[in-house]
Amino acid sequence: MRSLEFKKQHAGIISAFAFIGMIFLGFSWVQSTQHVIASQQELLLSGIARTQSAILERQLSAAFTSTQILAYEIEQNNGKTDWFDDYADTLVNSIGDIKHLQLAPDGIITDVYPEDNQPILGLDILTTPKYVKEASLSVKTQKMFIIGPIDLVQGGAAVICRVPVFLNRGTQKETFWGFASAVIYLDSLLNATRLRTLESEGFQFSLTRQHTANQKTISLASSAQPLSDLYAITNLMLPVGNLSLSISRQSSSSFGTNRSVSYLLTLCISLLLSFSLYAMLIQPLKLQKQVKEKTLALQNLAYQDSLTGLKNRRFLQDNLSKSVSLELKHNPITAFIFLDLDNFKRINDTEGHNVGDQILTIIANRLDKFSQKSDLVIRLGGDEFALLLANTDTREYIAQRSEQILQYIRRPITFRSKEYSISASIGIAMIPDHGRDLITLMQNADLAMYQAKKEGKNQYAFYNENIKLTTHNLVKGEKDLAAALQREEFEVYFQPQFNLKTNQVFAAEALVRWNHPEKGLIFPDEFIPIAERTGKIVDLGYWVLESSIAYLAQRKLDNRPDITIHINLAPAQLSDFSLVTRVKTLLTKYQVPAHLVGFEVTESTILTDVPLAQKILHTLKNMGICFSIDDFGTGYSSLSQLKQLPVNMLKIDRSFIIELESNEDDQKIVEAIIAMAHKLNIKTLAEGIETRKQWQLLEEFQCDFGQGYYVSKPITAEAFNQGNLIVHSE
């Protein structure tokens, strides 16, 4: 009996200790679970806050960029502002996220863009109480600042970024000129993010800034519901002081109930299942492992681009300083490469964003495979990437790596049985010479990339101090071109095209010239590249088209013989879906038959997108318009591709005609082109005929038509109307 009682007694003691231990472990497990849930919630909120703050940074950076550009322009113009309206229009169209710009000489707002914001004119920034402290501090420190929220006269609220402008900066004559400002509407700023959507899903947010002068926290925007006790806060990386975004989410009302149920279940299990002691003892270890795994997964998610799998902009922001410091310990220089795909918007517009996303993923994989183990590849967003090159010994090595990157990207991409040709432009900023922080490096590399695009794209450029001046000159050139279109400073010249057998002029090529009020006559090779970069090539092309059709109409009124005018089509025009409609409208307006109009397109223009070219050219061909392939023989076309297009004539490039009299290879090439074209029922025209001997050889080769200085250079409409006969000098 004593033995049995002893066993029961021990069993009771063990059960009592087991019960106490189970209760202790069970309650500890409940507390640990709640802590895990709270940690996961914090990580989720932190990831959302980082993502939304990155979007806000991009939006606000547009304002800072525009104000800095305005300030630079004021300094360059020695304080004059008569250029503001046109320049602001160009600046707004270039940057895209800014809708309202201001200039305030001596602190008084005198110029605004657009003009519907005129109620703000006359406001004195330096004396208005709510602006004076920050404005005065800005003038003293010569730093930009941000104010807001401001209730606008025209309705709504906004934040304003202002930059103090100094003339003769850095000299003894340095003087304060005033402020350049950009206004960002808070509604537009928030609409660019998902904050309103998150609010409808039960999240709360608060966007705040610190007052520059007194460091007080000011609310810029917030959700209807205040932040809960559990929230994540992210500071925006901007050069205008501290801006912070806080995100929270209300805890479920069942949170406390679930905790009580957990305690009750723990008590029951402790009483009934003593063997659960082992499971309860190891449960905290399992939970700890899960917490670590979840934490690592969420951290990777916050630093990973969801489309390409590369590291994202947030990772670069958080780790750039550390990476640069480690790299500079081993190497005297390193390189920050900013890469932007050329004309990628066209793929999204014509093929759809699904195809665009697939191509971006392929490009990202190429960059990742190309990079070395110590390099860092980042997707900044859209079609922009960044590379931090390590182990760089010389600029020559960096140039070599950059050229290799361009070659990797240029490799054709085949997707869904269709081939795409992609190129990129690269800007390179050297570390530490061109900056150590992300904002400075990105600004300088972006300027270098813009220089590469200006020089023809598909290449790289190193940043240097002259780039700022070059960029300024480019903006001026773009402004002059836009003004020239408005002032109608352009003129169409016509170069006769003639029949080699009958000696008759049957057509003319329309060529544009710029009658610049200061520089005189400017030829296309100087202004066409600017027009193509700025998108003005479409407007200029349609001006040439209308001028040429108007000339045909005038010839009819003057009872002159009908001729065909051949007009060059730019690539941007051929991809413009309104081309057909605009041609029909002009033909109807001037009552000109379609068969008197011809279009000349280069091989590269057509072969960029053969299906699109087929559709547009066939539509115009059915109207009666004829087509010529310009500069034939210098591109990469094939007759199998040409026979799919409604081509009436091939223009043999002048490079084959220059040495035609003495170069047997050129003779063979020209004769072959003519023979193959005739097999396809396509006429041929030789460009650049300058001698009677060239004419005779081409006539022997059965070439149909010619064009060149032997008959006439491009001449004005008045001179062309004289209709001089072709006279051969034997």
Side-chain angles (χ1 to χ4, degrees):
M1 288 293 296
R2 286 190 176 183
S3 176
L4 181 59
E5 290 176 358
F6 177 79
K7 290 180 180 179
K8 288 182 178 180
Q9 186 179 18
H10 279 78
I13 294 172
I14 293 173
S15 297
F17 279 102
F19 175 75
I20 295 172
M22 294 290 285
I23 291 295
F24 174 78
L25 293 175
F27 285 7
S28 298
W29 174 79
V30 172
Q31 293 291 344
S32 178
T33 301
Q34 302 307 315
H35 177 70
V36 170
I37 294 173
S39 298
Q40 292 175 336
Q41 187 74 359
E42 288 178 353
L43 289 171
L44 173 63
L45 294 174
S46 179
I48 294 174
R50 287 177 179 145
T51 301
Q52 300 308 307
S53 65
I55 297 173
L56 292 172
E57 288 172 3
R58 288 197 298 271
Q59 295 296 113
L60 290 170
S61 293
F64 308 148
T65 301
S66 64
T67 52
Q68 288 173 326
I69 292 176
L70 282 178
Y72 180 77
E73 188 67 16
I74 292 168
E75 293 176 13
Q76 293 298 310
N77 285 275
N78 199 28
K80 296 180 180 179
T81 62
D82 52 350
W83 47 267
F84 175 73
D85 289 336
D86 291 340
Y87 193 86
D89 182 71
T90 302
L91 190 60
V92 168
N93 290 333
S94 299
I95 296 180
D97 293 322
I98 301 304
K99 306 299 182 185
H100 181 184
L101 300 172
Q102 303 174 357
L103 295 183
D106 297 322
I108 300 174
I109 298 176
T110 59
D111 296 273
V112 294
Y113 178 89
E115 293 182 352
D116 56 0
N117 295 292
Q118 288 187 352
I120 200 67
L121 292 176
L123 177 68
D124 191 340
I125 298 170
L126 290 172
T127 61
T128 302
K130 59 183 177 181
Y131 304 145
V132 63
K133 289 184 178 180
E134 290 178 299
S136 299
L137 183 60
S138 173
V139 174
K140 181 178 179 181
T141 61
Q142 297 191 8
K143 293 182 179 179
M144 70 168 62
F145 68 102
I146 188 171
I147 62 171
I150 301 297
D151 293 326
L152 301 174
V153 176
Q154 60 271 37
V159 292
I160 303 176
C161 174
R162 289 200 166 103
V163 172
V165 182
F166 291 84
L167 302 182
N168 303 311
R169 187 184 294 271
T171 69
Q172 294 181 350
K173 296 181 180 180
E174 181 178 284
T175 58
F176 170 69
W177 177 87
F179 296 97
S181 307
V183 178
I184 299 181
Y185 297 97
L186 284 175
D187 285 343
S188 299
L189 184 63
L190 295 179
N191 289 340
T193 69
R194 294 188 66 252
L195 292 175
R196 294 302 187 193
T197 302
L198 290 170
E199 183 178 4
S200 66
E201 295 173 356
F203 290 85
Q204 301 82 44
F205 70 89
S206 176
L207 179 62
T208 62
R209 73 177 183 89
Q210 282 191 337
H211 193 283
T212 307
N214 55 34
Q215 299 301 308
K216 290 184 178 180
T217 299
I218 300 173
S219 175
L220 298 179
S222 63
S223 56
Q225 295 294 327
L227 296 173
S228 66
D229 295 336
L230 184 63
Y231 65 92
I233 184 170
T234 302
N235 293 324
L236 277 65
M237 300 184 64
L238 298 170
V240 292
N242 294 327
L243 273 78
S244 301
L245 176 65
S246 301
I247 301 287
S248 71
R249 192 174 190 180
Q250 293 288 353
S251 301
S252 172
S253 59
S254 61
F255 190 86
T257 303
N258 291 337
R259 181 166 54 186
S260 300
V261 172
S262 298
Y263 286 146
L264 180 60
L265 288 175
T266 301
L267 179 62
C268 294
I269 293 173
S270 300
L271 290 170
L272 299 176
L273 303 172
S274 60
F275 64 85
S276 63
L277 175 61
Y278 175 75
M280 295 298 293
L281 287 172
I282 66 171
Q283 189 67 22
L285 297 177
K286 291 182 178 180
L287 289 174
Q288 185 178 8
K289 181 180 179 182
Q290 291 176 3
V291 170
K292 290 181 179 179
E293 291 175 350
K294 291 290 185 181
T295 301
L296 181 61
L298 288 172
Q299 187 180 47
N300 290 335
L301 183 62
Y303 283 151
Q304 188 178 57
D305 178 62
S306 58
L307 175 64
T308 64
L310 296 176
K311 298 298 183 182
N312 59 17
R313 184 190 186 105
R314 172 57 62 176
F315 177 86
L316 188 63
Q317 291 172 341
D318 293 348
N319 295 274
L320 178 66
S321 298
K322 180 180 178 182
S323 299
V324 169
S325 298
L326 290 174
E327 178 63 22
L328 292 178
K329 286 182 179 179
H330 303 89
N331 297 285
I333 59 172
T334 188
F336 180 85
I337 290 180
F338 186 88
L339 183 148
D340 181 86
L341 300 181
D342 297 327
N343 303 319
F344 186 76
K345 183 177 182 295
R346 181 179 177 184
I347 293 179
N348 281 335
D349 291 343
T350 58
E351 303 294 333
H353 287 271
N354 289 337
V355 174
D357 288 347
Q358 292 296 327
I359 291 176
L360 284 175
T361 302
I362 293 172
I363 295 296
N365 290 336
R366 289 182 178 181
L367 292 174
D368 191 43
K369 291 179 181 179
F370 166 80
S371 63
Q372 299 178 357
K373 182 178 286 187
S374 56
D375 295 339
L376 183 61
V377 183
I378 302 291
R379 185 194 177 203
L380 297 173
D383 59 350
E384 297 177 344
F385 297 85
L387 291 88
L388 187 65
L389 296 188
N391 298 324
T392 55
D393 298 322
T394 63
R395 287 171 63 97
E396 289 74 16
Y397 172 77
I398 297 170
Q400 180 183 7
R401 291 287 304 278
S402 299
E403 183 59 42
Q404 291 173 349
I405 293 172
L406 294 175
Q407 292 176 5
Y408 266 67
I409 294 177
R410 281 198 300 267
R411 292 178 179 176
I413 295 174
T414 302
F415 180 69
R416 294 180 181 174
S417 302
K418 188 171 182 180
E419 190 173 276
Y420 299 90
S421 296
I422 305 294
S423 65
S425 297
I426 286 178
I428 306 169
M430 306 301 295
I431 306 174
D433 294 345
H434 303 149
R436 291 174 176 263
D437 62 279
L438 180 60
I439 293 177
T440 303
L441 287 171
M442 285 194 65
Q443 286 178 344
N444 293 338
D446 186 44
L447 284 174
M449 183 273 294
Y450 187 70
Q451 179 73 14
K453 284 188 179 292
K454 186 194 73 171
E455 293 175 355
K457 303 179 181 179
N458 190 32
Q459 57 188 293
Y460 63 87
F462 284 89
Y463 171 81
N464 59 67
E465 293 299 328
N466 292 330
I467 283 182
K468 287 186 178 179
L469 180 60
T470 302
T471 303
H472 169 72
N473 292 335
L474 178 61
V475 171
K476 185 178 184 303
E478 295 172 357
K479 180 180 176 182
D480 289 346
L481 183 63
L485 279 169
Q486 293 179 350
R487 293 193 291 261
E488 297 186 355
E489 295 175 358
F490 292 98
E491 182 178 1
V492 177
Y493 277 49
F494 300 97
Q495 185 171 28
Q497 296 174 334
F498 39 85
N499 190 308
L500 294 176
K501 294 182 177 60
T502 65
N503 294 336
Q504 296 296 317
V505 173
F506 73 97
E509 180 180 1
L511 300 166
V512 64
R513 301 290 188 266
W514 182 359
N515 292 315
H516 196 283
E518 298 175 359
K519 300 178 181 179
L521 192 65
I522 300 179
F523 289 87
D525 56 349
E526 293 188 39
F527 61 84
I528 290 297
I530 298 177
E532 290 177 337
R533 283 194 299 270
T534 61
K536 293 295 183 182
I537 189 66
V538 175
D539 294 335
L540 181 59
Y542 284 128
W543 180 88
V544 173
L545 174 62
E546 182 168 6
S547 299
S548 300
I549 293 176
Y551 171 71
L552 290 171
Q554 187 61 46
R555 284 184 65 91
K556 184 177 181 181
L557 292 175
D558 296 341
N559 294 319
R560 299 184 186 278
D562 286 341
I563 63 166
T564 301
I565 298 295
H566 289 116
I567 304 160
N568 292 283
L569 276 184
Q573 284 181 280
L574 191 58
S575 62
D576 183 3
F577 293 104
S578 67
L579 173 63
V580 175
T581 302
R582 299 182 75 162
V583 171
K584 288 181 179 178
T585 301
L586 290 173
L587 292 175
T588 302
K589 175 181 177 181
Y590 291 99
Q591 293 297 298
V592 170
H595 70 272
L596 297 182
V597 175
F599 286 135
E600 295 187 3
V601 291
T602 61
E603 298 175 68
S604 58
T605 298
I606 291 179
L607 299 178
T608 298
D609 193 335
V610 174
L612 178 62
Q614 282 181 313
K615 181 178 179 181
I616 294 177
L617 297 185
H618 276 293
T619 302
L620 293 171
K621 178 68 177 293
N622 292 335
M623 293 168 52
I625 293 173
C626 59
F627 284 93
S628 304
I629 302 297
D630 198 9
D631 301 333
F632 186 79
T634 61
Y636 304 94
S637 63
S638 66
L639 293 177
S640 63
Q641 292 170 317
L642 289 176
K643 71 181 182 181
Q644 303 175 34
L645 301 168
V647 177
N648 302 91
M649 185 167 64
L650 295 183
K651 297 186 69 175
I652 304 172
D653 188 71
R654 68 185 304 273
S655 62
F656 299 107
I657 309 301
I658 294 174
E659 299 180 0
L660 189 64
E661 300 173 45
S662 58
N663 191 315
E664 292 184 0
D665 289 337
D666 284 346
Q667 293 176 9
K668 293 176 182 178
I669 292 172
V670 170
E671 191 171 9
I673 291 174
I674 295 171
M676 289 188 291
H678 287 169
K679 286 290 185 181
L680 294 173
N681 295 320
I682 298 175
K683 299 291 185 181
T684 56
L685 182 148
E687 296 181 292
I689 299 177
E690 297 184 358
T691 67
R692 174 60 176 160
K693 180 63 175 177
Q694 291 172 348
W695 180 308
Q696 292 171 336
L697 285 172
L698 290 166
E699 190 175 3
E700 290 177 12
F701 297 156
Q702 302 300 312
C703 184
D704 302 290
F705 309 116
Q707 177 179 343
Y709 279 24
Y710 177 74
V711 172
S712 174
K713 65 180 180 180
I715 54 179
T716 64
E718 181 180 358
F720 187 82
N721 288 337
Q722 300 301 318
N724 295 328
L725 297 176
I726 298 177
V727 178
H728 293 293
S729 54
E730 299 296 339

